Amino acid sequence: MHYQDALAEEIRDSAARLLAEDVGPGDITAELIPEKHWSRARVITREATVLCGVAWVDELFRRLDPSVSLSWQAADGDRLAAGQTFLELEGPARSLLTGERAALNLLQTLSGTAARARHYVDLLEGSGVRMLDTRKTLPGLRLAQKYAVSCGGGHNHRIGLYDAFLIKENHIAACGSIDAAVREARDIARDLSVEVEVETFEELDQALEAGADIIMLDNFSLDDMREAVRRNAGRATLEASGNVDDTRLLEIAATGVDCISSGALTKDVQAVDLSMRFLPQEGE
């Protein structure tokens, strides 16, 4: 399935799951409000962030109540300032309240992911080094968080186990050698990239000799990264990985590697503080 088609399907499915886990058989507290009571509300962010999740919220309210109208004042990938209103809603008060938490949960998580990615990308600006995510995503939010990373200016590593080869220590042990693993990968799918994770210079040389497209330098020191760049001489794409955080990005980039990957973009995400507030009714 094409990535965009898979993402569209994920948006539909996740919106349904969000409503199912929160609303269940019905929102009993919303029943305190008269059924025909009409309201307007706005959503603000209490901290600076990068917006992500528009399509999910649109789909969520479409499923919940198509009569709710949403007016977005920002788009996915836009930077938001603390206190900024980025969404206004209008519709039955019951529906606005029922959908509130599911919508904010999704927005706060994906916007937090996009903001983390943007922070890392900003630190690397001008270096020419690409910032990559990993498969260390929150369970059930793989495509959503990968999309959020791209909204923050980062790049997606492989989406799953199906769209690229990543040959690690145990694969090498099971296949017998790096060369054997790379040759088998080429036989299985010549159109997919083959990456080999290495921990030593010996393994690096073997991966280069085998013709790997990408070589992941796992927990290499800065000096060893520089030596790896020298040995590589542009033959393969070099990816630095392991114990990467925002305090080390620039010094890693300075070694000459092509890209840096970090699970911190997704697995350690901190949700953004968002709030929905009803607006006064006309005449009040």
Side-chain angles (χ1 to χ4, degrees):
M1 181 183 294
H2 189 275
Y3 171 74
Q4 292 298 331
D5 293 334
L7 184 60
E9 181 177 325
E10 171 60 23
I11 290 169
R12 293 190 295 269
D13 291 347
S14 60
R17 291 196 305 270
L18 286 167
L19 288 174
E21 72 178 3
D22 205 27
V23 181
D27 182 354
I28 58 175
T29 311
E31 293 179 14
L32 301 173
I33 301 167
E35 185 176 0
K36 297 186 182 298
H37 187 75
W38 199 265
S39 293
R40 294 169 55 241
R42 65 176 182 172
V43 181
I44 66 170
T45 175
R46 299 187 182 280
E47 56 188 300
T49 190
V50 174
L51 179 61
C52 184
V54 168
W56 280 265
V57 176
D58 285 344
E59 176 66 15
L60 187 149
F61 278 103
R62 185 192 69 79
R63 288 176 174 271
L64 178 63
D65 185 347
S67 71
V68 173
S69 64
L70 294 86
S71 177
W72 293 93
Q73 298 174 12
D76 281 348
D78 286 352
R79 297 178 190 259
L80 303 177
Q84 181 175 342
T85 296
F86 61 90
L87 171 62
E88 292 189 353
L89 307 94
E90 185 172 353
R94 284 187 178 185
S95 298
L96 298 185
L97 290 168
T98 297
E100 174 186 2
R101 178 43 52 199
L104 294 188
N105 280 352
L106 194 284
L107 282 173
Q108 69 188 19
T109 301
L110 295 192
S111 295
T113 303
R116 174 73 65 89
R118 173 52 60 188
H119 171 61
Y120 277 53
V121 170
D122 285 348
L123 289 173
L124 288 173
E125 186 174 4
S127 69
V129 176
R130 290 178 296 137
M131 190 70 227
L132 305 178
D133 55 23
T134 72
R135 288 190 300 124
K136 296 177 181 178
T137 52
L138 300 181
L141 286 178
R142 171 66 55 77
L143 285 179
Q145 283 198 291
K146 291 277 188 177
Y147 171 74
V149 168
S150 67
C151 286
H155 296 267
N156 295 151
H157 206 279
R158 59 179 181 159
I159 302 298
L161 296 173
Y162 53 86
D163 58 325
F165 292 96
L166 178 49
I167 299 169
K168 297 189 175 186
E169 179 181 8
N170 288 333
H171 299 101
I172 296 167
C175 289
S177 68
I178 289 176
D179 181 69
V182 172
R183 281 190 286 106
E184 184 65 21
R186 299 295 188 200
D187 288 341
I188 292 171
R190 290 190 174 276
D191 59 327
L192 297 182
S193 65
V194 177
E195 179 169 4
V196 178
E197 180 184 77
V198 302
E199 298 178 350
T200 66
F201 289 129
E202 181 182 2
E203 291 177 345
L204 170 65
D205 292 340
Q206 291 172 8
L208 288 171
E209 185 65 26
D213 301 307
I214 307 167
I215 298 176
M216 179 189 293
L217 308 176
D218 183 36
N219 285 302
F220 273 43
S221 69
L222 295 175
D223 285 341
D224 286 350
M225 287 183 201
R226 282 187 280 268
E227 174 60 17
V229 170
R230 187 192 69 77
R231 293 191 183 204
N232 179 54
R235 285 180 285 175
T237 297
L238 290 186
E239 173 189 337
S241 185
N243 294 316
V244 174
D245 60 31
D246 57 357
T247 65
R248 301 186 64 224
L249 284 181
L250 285 179
E251 58 184 9
I252 293 175
T255 65
V257 296
D258 300 291
C259 49
I260 303 171
S261 61
S262 175
L265 296 183
T266 50
K267 71 181 181 67
D268 298 333
V269 63
Q270 181 173 343
V272 179
D273 187 6
L274 305 177
S275 178
M276 187 176 89
R277 290 289 181 265
F278 273 35
L279 298 173
Q281 299 294 312
E282 291 185 5
E284 293 183 358

